Amino acid sequence: MAEIVLITGLSGAGRSGTADVLEDLGWYVVDNLPTALIGTIIDLAVKPGSDIPRLALVGGRQHGTLVEKIGEVRASGHRVRVLFLDASTPELVRRYNATRRRHPLADEAEGLVESIELERERLDPARAAADLVIDTSDLNVHQLKDRVVHAFSAATDSRLQVSVESFGFKHGLPLDADMVMDVRFLPNPHWVPDLRPLTGHDPKVRDHVLETAAGSDFVDRLDDLLASLLPQYEKEGRSYLTVAIGCTGGRHRSVATAEEVASRLRGRGVAVRVAHRDVAR
């Protein structure tokens, strides 16, 4: 039985970079793979004498039909996870303009934006079937590597992987969130002159936000909710869960709350990573 990850997602969202990281982690990577050859590659990987226990398959131009193969492969007894790389349309336009590469669907649409949206529509079923969605819009290559290593390193990939991410609503919702919590009702350090230049990492900001009846009660209730839900997600076979916590700008309340929630999860032995999308804005 092989352990398999199928990598799909929007063109320009980071499929090749993700494949490079997995290769560094010891996965055998097959890039730009036609969907019709998935079964053949897997059969070769599991043949007696094969030394390919972990196989990463990166979808090519036919990756829109990748979802049709997922059930077949899982029915064969292999552990299969689907990773979807996403990014906002403005960011994809910026990347294509920087590289001056041609979009794969350029012949089927009028202009770059239309090509991106056409591909997004075609990949909706694959995104819905994904075990993990990573929004690369605001990630550099090092941050993307950290996300992939956290999700697929040998030391942690047998447990439910939880990501707690802070963000600012004024910068848009994270594309990869499974749960979104709004903490804009908590005391806002932005209106305290001494606290405004700081971030939610600072103990003074943390105390201002969480050492209140509202803050303490919210974190306790969210902690109880996650303690109840995580075993159910694991029971259903989920491998990943992303909890996004948002305030207005993503610098104070959401950061402090995300750090506290992540700390409590670690205290219960949960494999958790914490990220702050907008703290530097």
Side-chain angles (χ1 to χ4, degrees):
M1 182 179 71
E3 185 177 1
I4 302 165
V5 57
L6 303 178
I7 303 170
T8 184
L10 295 171
S11 301
R15 296 198 308 267
S16 295
T18 299
D20 291 341
V21 176
L22 288 172
E23 189 169 36
D24 290 342
L25 290 174
W27 291 71
Y28 187 90
V29 176
V30 182
D31 202 351
N32 200 29
L33 180 69
T35 303
L37 295 180
I38 288 178
T40 301
I41 294 295
I42 293 175
D43 289 342
L44 291 173
V46 300
K47 286 182 64 174
S50 172
D51 188 26
I52 307 177
R54 309 173 86 201
L55 180 64
L57 307 177
V58 187
R61 292 194 177 188
Q62 300 84 18
H63 57 182
T65 60
L66 188 64
V67 68
E68 301 172 11
K69 294 289 183 179
I70 296 172
E72 298 176 18
V73 177
R74 284 176 173 156
S76 300
H78 304 297
R79 185 189 182 197
V80 181
R81 287 174 287 174
V82 180
L83 169 61
F84 190 96
L85 282 303
D86 204 347
S88 67
T89 297
E91 175 59 19
L92 291 173
V93 169
R94 188 194 68 78
R95 294 177 187 178
Y96 269 97
N97 287 338
T99 62
R100 299 189 179 182
R101 294 187 61 189
R102 192 168 184 269
H103 194 278
L105 300 184
D107 291 336
E108 302 181 45
E110 296 182 5
L112 179 55
V113 172
E114 290 78 4
S115 299
I116 293 170
E117 294 303 329
L118 177 60
E119 184 178 41
R120 192 184 299 280
E121 179 181 348
R122 290 184 178 178
L123 287 177
D124 274 347
R127 192 185 195 284
D131 298 284
L132 173 64
V133 177
I134 296 180
D135 175 11
T136 69
S137 302
D138 297 299
L139 300 182
N140 60 38
V141 292
H142 306 293
Q143 292 167 327
L144 177 58
K145 178 179 179 179
D146 289 343
R147 292 289 304 272
V148 176
V149 168
H150 171 77
F152 294 100
S153 65
T156 60
D157 60 16
S158 63
R159 295 185 291 162
L160 175 67
Q161 307 296 300
V162 178
S163 294
V164 181
E165 178 179 353
S166 71
F167 72 97
F169 276 96
K170 74 178 184 179
H171 303 299
L173 287 171
L175 298 177
D176 50 5
D178 296 300
M179 299 173 59
V180 176
M181 296 293 170
D182 184 351
V183 296
R184 288 176 290 186
F185 65 92
L186 295 178
N188 191 352
H190 177 80
W191 303 116
V192 180
D194 290 343
L195 300 181
R196 183 180 301 180
L198 307 176
T199 72
H201 293 296
D202 193 285
K204 295 178 182 178
V205 173
R206 181 206 174 278
D207 291 347
H208 182 83
V209 173
L210 299 180
E211 294 300 318
T212 61
S216 176
D217 182 63
F218 174 78
V219 172
D220 287 344
R221 288 175 181 270
L222 180 55
D223 186 45
D224 289 342
L225 176 64
L226 292 173
S228 173
L229 290 179
L230 295 188
Q232 303 305 316
Y233 281 117
E234 289 187 299
K235 184 178 178 181
E236 290 299 315
R238 284 288 297 270
S239 299
Y240 309 98
L241 180 72
T242 298
V243 180
I245 300 174
C247 61
T248 303
R251 285 179 44 83
H252 297 114
R253 292 169 289 181
S254 60
V255 172
T257 306
E259 288 288 348
E260 178 65 21
V261 170
S263 176
R264 295 194 183 195
L265 289 173
R266 291 191 191 99
R268 294 204 303 272
V270 176
V272 62
R273 64 173 288 276
V274 61
H276 305 292
R277 192 190 71 177
D278 301 322
V279 68
R281 294 190 186 228

